[in-house]
Amino acid sequence: MTEKNDGLMSVKQQTASKKSIGNSGEEKAAAFLLSSEYSIIERNFRTREGEIDIIAEKGDVLIFAEVKTLPSGGLETLAHELNLRKQKRIIKTAKYFLAKYRQYSKDKIRFDVLVIDMPGFDSVYHIVDAFSELV
């Protein structure tokens, strides 16, 4: 007996599709940063606390970049995707990176967001200094 799918994607297919879209967005973001004279230090830096999509450097500034691919989203979607909890996880992961790689300890740090394919914006919309740690 075969199961009819009626055009609906399985959860596994949806997850694979989201991952593929995300990977494509990260490639686009990395290419954009390289073309803007940034050096990519690391991609997909992971800890138990979280992940940073791209860590880059330009001059004496170290950039921790979150990449959001939103082909059918808007500003509300971006705000939801990059909520305070997510920002705290990125900051905590950045602190871990800085503790592990002391050679960057004198660099200024910045948290950027690169939004990919959001309707009404450039194909790569770079939000410089998008958020910071609240003291």
Side-chain angles (χ1 to χ4, degrees), residues 50-70:
E51 175 189 4
I52 296 174
D53 295 325
I54 299 174
I55 301 171
E57 190 174 38
K58 187 172 186 179
D60 66 344
V61 180
L62 188 65
I63 294 93
F64 295 99
E66 175 70 6
V67 178
K68 288 293 174 195
T69 305
L70 302 171

Side-chain angles (χ1 to χ4, degrees), residues 60-110:
D60 66 344
V61 180
L62 188 65
I63 294 93
F64 295 99
E66 175 70 6
V67 178
K68 288 293 174 195
T69 305
L70 302 171
S72 60
L75 292 175
E76 308 80 29
T77 308
L78 178 60
H80 175 74
E81 291 284 324
L82 196 61
N83 60 34
L84 193 55
R85 182 171 174 249
K86 175 74 172 175
Q87 292 174 30
K88 286 180 179 179
R89 292 180 78 170
I90 292 168
I91 290 166
K92 198 167 192 176
T93 305
K95 286 180 177 181
Y96 180 87
F97 177 88
L98 291 167
K100 185 174 180 179
Y101 299 101
R102 297 266 184 206
Q103 67 265 37
Y104 300 107
S105 64
K106 294 200 187 320
D107 285 1
K108 296 174 192 144
I109 66 165
R110 194 174 79 202

Side-chain angles (χ1 to χ4, degrees), residues 2-129:
T2 60
E3 203 174 306
K4 268 182 87 178
N5 199 342
D6 289 333
L8 298 175
M9 281 200 279
S10 72
V11 171
K12 211 180 246 189
Q13 289 170 320
Q14 288 175 356
T15 302
S17 178
K18 274 182 101 171
K19 188 161 180 55
S20 174
I21 290 167
N23 288 343
S24 173
E26 285 182 22
E27 288 298 325
K28 205 178 221 185
F32 172 85
L33 289 172
L34 288 170
S35 73
S36 300
E37 300 179 9
Y38 289 82
S39 301
I40 305 287
I41 293 168
E42 184 113 17
R43 290 185 56 184
N44 303 111
F45 180 78
R46 297 178 201 278
T47 68
R48 273 190 272 165
E49 293 298 324
E51 175 189 4
I52 296 174
D53 295 325
I54 299 174
I55 301 171
E57 190 174 38
K58 187 172 186 179
D60 66 344
V61 180
L62 188 65
I63 294 93
F64 295 99
E66 175 70 6
V67 178
K68 288 293 174 195
T69 305
L70 302 171
S72 60
L75 292 175
E76 308 80 29
T77 308
L78 178 60
H80 175 74
E81 291 284 324
L82 196 61
N83 60 34
L84 193 55
R85 182 171 174 249
K86 175 74 172 175
Q87 292 174 30
K88 286 180 179 179
R89 292 180 78 170
I90 292 168
I91 290 166
K92 198 167 192 176
T93 305
K95 286 180 177 181
Y96 180 87
F97 177 88
L98 291 167
K100 185 174 180 179
Y101 299 101
R102 297 266 184 206
Q103 67 265 37
Y104 300 107
S105 64
K106 294 200 187 320
D107 285 1
K108 296 174 192 144
I109 66 165
R110 194 174 79 202
F111 296 94
D112 290 4
V113 175
L114 289 109
V115 185
I116 310 301
D117 297 335
M118 189 165 65
F121 291 84
D122 292 340
S123 65
V124 178
Y125 182 62
H126 186 186
I127 304 169
V128 174
D129 211 3

